[in-house]
Amino acid sequence: MAMPPTRRDRWLALGLLLAALALAYLLLVHPWFTRPLLEINRGIAGLQERDQRVQAQLQQRTQVQQRLQEVEAALQGRPGFLREATAESAAAALSSRLQDAVASASPGNRSCTISNRSPLTDTARDAQFPRVALQVRLRCGVPEMAAVLHTLETGSPRLFVGNLNLLAQRFQASPNESGTGLDVSFELVGYLKPGAGGDAAAVSLPAPASAPEPAPAGLQPVGAAMAVPTDPGSAEPVEEGPAIED
């Protein structure tokens, strides 16, 4: 005669049934139905969030257009590109602007003179923005040199000073010069509008108003002594000075 199931047997059977159902869910239902539906829900939530951001940006369209017009108007009043159409005319304009900056900082070239200025050839001919540059060498006092650099870099159109080298010296090429200051060389760079014509090859520029002595062949590396010949027209000898590089 079969023994009737006890309470323990019934609970054990119920536990086995629940385990079988959980195993069936994990093997059949979750990977084939639940997981894809959860991924779809996450994708829907991400799209809804993105749509909200897009709608918020579209609502700001009027303000963005108004701000863009204000910025464009401000840039037209203060252009960043050189106004000239060719590299040759732009190089001449750079030279004229340099001359004006020096004359403004030192009227009569008493404390600042242009020793050399020559255009540099643009090697990156396929660049989007054509580059126009001058190799400049000045002999100025410290305050005048700061004024010249400030005038060049804060004016309009925008110009950039690069490869700046400073050499403290004592010289007197003409009676108008004070005899002390800096021997400075740098590149003065501006950019033409995209598609501007003209070749960036070197062009001839007029000589500066003053006629200082010919510049030495080049500056020595920083930290090295630099021998500068004595000016025959000056009774004051030329001395060496420490090199400063920016």
Side-chain angles (χ1 to χ4, degrees), residues 16-123:
L16 292 175
L17 177 61
L18 293 177
L21 292 176
L23 183 60
Y25 173 80
L26 293 176
L27 296 178
L28 301 177
V29 179
H30 183 77
W32 298 100
F33 298 96
T34 306
R35 183 181 297 174
L37 291 176
L38 292 176
E39 293 178 355
I40 292 174
N41 289 336
R42 285 194 294 267
I44 292 174
L47 291 175
Q48 290 176 344
E49 183 182 356
R50 181 179 179 184
D51 180 70
Q52 292 177 357
R53 292 198 303 266
V54 172
Q55 293 297 331
Q57 293 175 355
L58 291 177
Q59 292 177 0
Q60 299 175 356
R61 179 177 180 180
T62 304
Q63 293 84 347
V64 172
Q65 288 181 344
Q66 181 179 0
R67 180 56 180 165
L68 179 60
Q69 293 175 357
E70 294 176 356
V71 172
E72 290 177 348
L75 290 178
Q76 289 178 358
R78 188 180 178 186
F81 294 105
L82 299 175
R83 300 183 179 91
E84 290 71 24
T86 63
E88 289 80 3
S89 58
L94 287 183
S95 177
S96 177
R97 187 164 165 183
L98 172 66
Q99 183 69 39
D100 294 341
V102 172
S104 176
S106 175
N109 299 114
R110 291 183 56 85
S111 301
C112 191
T113 59
I114 301 176
S115 299
N116 182 39
R117 49 180 169 176
S118 57
L120 298 176
T121 302
D122 185 11
T123 56

